[in-house]
Every structure is written in C-alpha cells, then in structure tokens.
Amino acid sequence: GQQVMQIPQYQHVQEGEDFTTYCNSSTTLSNIQWYKQRPGGHPVFLIQLVKSGEVKKQKRLTFQFGEAKKNSSLHITATQTTDVGTYFCLGGSQGNLIFGKGTKLSVKP
Amino acid sequence: EAGVAQSPRYKIIEKRQSVAFWCNPISGHATLYWYQQILGQGPKLLIQFQNNGVVDDSQLPKDRFSAERLKGVDSTLKIQPAKLEDSAVYLCASSLSPWQANNSPLHFGNGTRLTVT
C-alpha cells in the first residue's frame, strides 16, 4: 500500500542553525500539506503544495514539492527556539491521505 | 472563527470498558475526520465523513470502533470494548471541503487523550 516516509525522525540543532525534513512517497501525490505540532498540542496547518516543482516560502520556512510529485521538503533557515515541535507532512494519493511519522525538532539556545 | 471543539480532554478507563468522544467541527465545514495518534507517531486516519456520509473508513477497526455524524455536524467516536493498545490521543479535524479538492487544510481540535489500564 501507499507509504509516506519522513526523515529524519529527530533533529537537534543549535539556535541559528538550519533544519530540513524530507518526505518521500511510494506513489505520486495529488498534493502535500505540512503541519507543525507543538509539544502537547495538536497539528497546525502550515502550507499546501499542489504543482510539480512548486516552491513556497513563509518567512524563514521554505517548502518544496518535487518534479515527480513524490517527494517534498521543509527547510527552516536560522532556527529559533519557537520552531521547536514535530513537523509532519500529509500526502494525498489514490484516495488515501497519509501522514508521515514526523520529524521532532529540538533547538538548543 | 471558533475552532474544532472536542470533549473530553482526558479519559482513563479499564480494558473492556466502553468510551465515547465528541467533536464539533468548525461551522460550515462539510468534511470531518477522526485520527488516532499514538505517542511518537503521526496521526492515523480512522474515518472521514463528508456531511453525514462516510468517505473512508478502511482503517477503522470496525469490530470495536464506531463513529457517526447523523446530522452532518457533530460527530461521536465510540470504542467498545477498549483494549490496552487503544491508548492514544484521538484527534478530530474538519475542513471546508474534502482534501481531494486540493485546497482544504485540516483544522484540528485539541484531542482526547485516552488511557486504557
């Protein structure tokens, strides 16, 4: 069945360093969404990508959707302590909507 | 706008007991989802409703889990009987239209943390 693999599982960075999380699907995705979940909180929508090769930016966050629409990445430039949390991708394909397992980001001040 | 409301926030039950969770989506949102999130994992879709109809319940353990959205607004999720492995956070989410519509972010409630002992 369809799988959405997300790596790394954990990432520990020093404040000011960059951070990237990657999602890879076994099938072509119709769209991909990214969510952030703070410790003890619920997932909060960040962005949706639909087009092949699409790149979107939100301040220090850059989101990319691969040309084949099978992979996506989220890059944070110069992390801050407020970026702490788990970042999930949510991929839709063939009638299925599947979350990646998430990347837990910790930031050392 | 008011967010997705869920209750209760916490529930502790013994195995083989039954439990029910309630969700009130954002007003006007036709699509409602129930997710199960086990600690350290991504949310797993249990069921998706479009108005009062079921779109996807392929991962719902139907021998013990049931869900309904009779009037196309509020929804309840029930577990009967509960097992130890059902300990998780149960998240309800809603969206204006189905995710297949390509412009439908999910809005999540705060979840219900279930502990089965």
Side-chain angles (χ1 to χ4, degrees):
Chain A
Q2 182 199 356
Q3 293 185 6
V4 175
M5 307 299 292
Q6 187 171 359
I7 57 170
Q9 189 174 1
Y10 302 97
Q11 187 77 57
H12 309 284
V13 301
Q14 190 77 33
E15 188 173 22
E17 292 182 337
D18 292 356
F19 159 77
T20 305
T21 174
Y22 302 89
C23 277
N24 292 287
S25 171
S26 55
T27 58
T28 302
L29 300 170
S30 56
N31 65 64
I32 193 161
Q33 299 177 0
W34 284 92
Y35 291 78
K36 176 183 179 181
Q37 186 172 24
R38 294 182 184 274
H42 58 273
V44 175
F45 175 78
L46 294 176
I47 209 158
Q48 176 173 269
L49 304 170
V50 177
K51 299 177 183 177
S52 169
E54 190 169 14
V55 178
K56 289 188 177 180
K57 292 191 176 184
Q58 288 180 352
K59 297 182 180 178
R60 295 179 294 105
L61 278 61
T62 301
F63 304 85
Q64 295 189 15
F65 203 8
E67 293 290 340
K69 299 182 72 172
K70 284 188 172 184
N71 57 75
S72 180
S73 65
L74 158 59
H75 179 83
I76 302 178
T77 303
T79 56
Q80 299 174 359
T81 54
T82 53
D83 296 325
V84 164
T86 302
Y87 293 84
F88 293 97
C89 61
L90 177 59
S93 172
Q94 300 176 351
N96 295 319
L97 191 60
I98 297 177
F99 271 95
K101 289 191 174 183
T103 297
K104 186 174 182 179
L105 172 65
S106 60
V107 180
K108 186 176 180 181
Chain B
E1 62 182 3
V4 176
Q6 285 189 249
S7 66
R9 283 299 308 273
Y10 306 93
K11 190 73 178 180
I12 301 174
I13 62 172
E14 295 181 350
K15 59 184 179 183
R16 291 188 290 274
Q17 286 187 325
S18 62
V19 64
F21 313 125
W22 173 82
C23 173
N24 180 236
I26 292 173
S27 178
H29 280 198
T31 312
L32 186 147
Y33 311 79
W34 281 102
Y35 281 89
Q36 179 193 58
Q37 187 174 25
I38 293 173
L39 187 63
Q41 297 184 18
K44 170 189 162 187
L45 179 67
L46 293 175
I47 190 167
Q48 176 184 347
F49 290 97
Q50 180 65 21
N51 296 310
N52 61 351
V54 175
V55 173
D56 182 359
D57 64 355
S58 56
Q59 297 192 82
L60 187 72
K62 297 180 185 64
D63 58 333
R64 298 184 301 106
F65 286 66
S66 65
E68 60 183 14
R69 195 185 183 200
L70 293 176
K71 296 183 179 178
V73 180
D74 294 5
S75 177
T76 56
L77 175 69
K78 296 179 181 177
I79 307 175
Q80 181 180 11
K83 293 185 175 182
L84 295 176
E85 60 260 36
D86 298 332
S87 294
V89 175
Y90 290 84
L91 293 163
C92 178
S94 70
S95 60
L96 198 58
S97 53
W99 68 265
Q100 293 88 341
N102 273 349
N103 190 23
S104 51
L106 275 60
H107 300 263
F108 285 85
N110 287 326
T112 297
R113 183 177 297 276
L114 174 66
T115 302
V116 182
T117 62

